[in-house]
Amino acid sequence: MCAPFLGGPEDGSLLKSFKDHIALAIWSNEDCPTLKCINHDAQIQEWDLQSCHPDTASLQRIIQCSGLNTLIDYSYRKANKEVITAFMERWQQETNIFHLPFGEMSISLEDVSMLLKIPVTGKVVAVENFARYTNESCSDAIKLVSKLLRVIIEDAEEEVNISKGLTVRKGWPKSRWCPKAGSRNINYPSVECTARAYLLYLLSCTLFAYKSGSRVSIALLKLLEDLDDVRNYAWGAAALAYLYRHLGSATRLQVSQIVGYLALLEGWVYEHFKLGLATPNAKYMDYVQPRVCRWVH
């Protein structure tokens, strides 16, 4: 190819961030590497609900009622980095849409509901006093961890200090509430505490994964305080906004990786585009399973 691709915005003042967009480099015929996809979905299976508490029935009932149970079995264990990179290159963060040869498309709340079967309407997934780190918010975070997970205040303080922010290590809940098979003389916490710890771990592996893959926001724990109310939050809307934000970040020339619930993006691509890259799932049951299960991954 001897000349840059045709295309791109004619008026550079409309999309002010385009000068740093990876599409500009591609149209200039520069070599752009494939994104590293940060995907932790496979880690969900490392926490066995059958062995982490003697009252398994009550624990599973809480998880089922949360509205997040489909994330356990229906997430993609591996991300197709070529597909994700190709669509990221066509994302415009100022409009939150994909610029495609035939027009513009974006992932909608209806797509999220259909693909994942998690709530997309309801209470806003936000905790105001944990929006930024202060001495007060750090103190509140320590008290919250101690209260909701029933750990002594010193242990909660140590964990928050280790994480150096309003977070805890993602593996910390699993290490405390998911005993190894065959272990004995375990003092089990209440089933509610175990459920909160598990849901916190589940959210950190799927909808709200950090790029480092090692932390989870304590703000999410606040939303799990009333377990009967978890299903009333618009988790799908929050996950979509989180994915939008990280798609926008990944379009920058200097960025080499992407995070977010990539199963949502990939499932959306397979749902709307016949690329021949996905293997149909012969065991898929329409109207029973989320649409994301239509493909083997």
Side-chain angles (χ1 to χ4, degrees), residues 242-290:
Y242 193 71
L243 179 62
Y244 276 3
R245 177 152 61 94
H246 286 286
L247 273 169
S249 298
T251 62
R252 303 303 90 192
L253 284 170
Q254 67 275 17
V255 176
S256 60
Q257 57 186 15
I258 185 172
V259 74
Y261 195 38
L262 301 179
L264 170 58
L265 171 57
E266 203 172 333
W268 178 83
V269 171
Y270 296 150
E271 182 73 21
H272 292 285
F273 299 88
K274 308 302 181 184
L275 301 178
L277 298 175
T279 303
N281 181 4
K283 297 181 180 180
Y284 169 70
M285 295 180 288
D286 204 4
Y287 303 108
V288 176
Q289 295 175 304

Side-chain angles (χ1 to χ4, degrees), residues 99-283:
H99 290 187
L100 301 165
F102 53 81
E104 300 173 340
M105 286 184 69
S106 192
I107 308 171
S108 68
L109 290 177
E110 183 180 10
D111 288 319
V112 178
S113 178
M114 178 183 64
L115 287 165
L116 304 180
K117 285 191 179 293
I118 60 175
V120 296
T121 60
K123 295 184 177 181
V124 177
V125 179
V127 181
E128 185 175 348
N129 62 325
F130 290 153
R132 62 188 182 90
Y133 184 90
T134 64
N135 289 337
E136 182 181 0
S137 63
C138 182
S139 177
D140 289 344
I142 292 169
K143 293 174 183 176
L144 187 71
V145 171
S146 177
K147 173 187 175 183
L148 298 187
L149 297 181
R150 302 288 173 85
V151 297
I152 62 175
I153 198 75
E154 291 79 10
D155 285 354
E157 183 176 10
E158 179 184 6
E159 179 58 32
V160 172
N161 289 336
I162 289 174
S163 296
K164 298 179 180 179
L166 302 177
T167 62
V168 295
R169 289 171 295 172
K170 187 179 71 174
W172 184 65
K174 182 166 69 72
S175 66
R176 292 185 67 109
W177 286 273
C178 181
K180 294 181 179 179
S183 57
R184 299 178 181 178
N185 301 320
I186 296 172
N187 295 319
Y188 289 98
S190 69
V191 67
E192 290 81 10
C193 289
T194 304
R196 288 192 192 98
Y198 180 79
L199 288 172
L200 187 66
Y201 180 78
L202 178 65
L203 289 169
S204 71
C205 288
T206 55
L207 304 185
F208 307 110
Y210 274 70
K211 278 192 175 182
S212 67
S214 62
R215 297 183 295 159
V216 56
S217 173
I218 294 173
L220 293 175
L221 181 60
K222 177 64 176 176
L223 301 173
L224 303 175
E225 182 171 7
D226 183 353
L227 289 168
D228 292 329
D229 199 37
V230 173
R231 64 180 177 272
N232 296 322
Y233 283 95
W235 297 105
L240 182 58
Y242 193 71
L243 179 62
Y244 276 3
R245 177 152 61 94
H246 286 286
L247 273 169
S249 298
T251 62
R252 303 303 90 192
L253 284 170
Q254 67 275 17
V255 176
S256 60
Q257 57 186 15
I258 185 172
V259 74
Y261 195 38
L262 301 179
L264 170 58
L265 171 57
E266 203 172 333
W268 178 83
V269 171
Y270 296 150
E271 182 73 21
H272 292 285
F273 299 88
K274 308 302 181 184
L275 301 178
L277 298 175
T279 303
N281 181 4
K283 297 181 180 180

Side-chain angles (χ1 to χ4, degrees), residues 37-48 70-81 84 170 198 205-206 260-264 266-267 270 292-293 295-297:
C37 297
I38 310 299
N39 180 44
H40 308 297
D41 296 357
Q43 297 178 17
I44 299 171
Q45 305 307 321
E46 295 177 5
W47 189 322
D48 183 11
T70 58
L71 299 176
I72 300 173
D73 297 317
Y74 303 142
S75 295
Y76 293 162
R77 297 193 179 192
K78 293 180 64 178
N80 189 319
K81 60 183 181 181
I84 291 170
K170 187 179 71 174
Y198 180 79
C205 288
T206 55
Y261 195 38
L262 301 179
L264 170 58
E266 203 172 333
Y270 296 150
V292 76
C293 298
W295 304 276
V296 176
H297 212 282

Side-chain angles (χ1 to χ4, degrees), residues 15-50:
L15 300 177
K16 297 183 182 300
S17 66
F18 191 74
K19 63 181 183 298
D20 296 321
H21 201 291
I22 194 170
L24 189 62
I26 294 172
W27 279 325
S28 298
N29 209 19
E30 296 180 22
D31 184 25
C32 298
T34 303
L35 280 176
K36 178 182 179 182
C37 297
I38 310 299
N39 180 44
H40 308 297
D41 296 357
Q43 297 178 17
I44 299 171
Q45 305 307 321
E46 295 177 5
W47 189 322
D48 183 11
L49 281 176
Q50 298 292 332

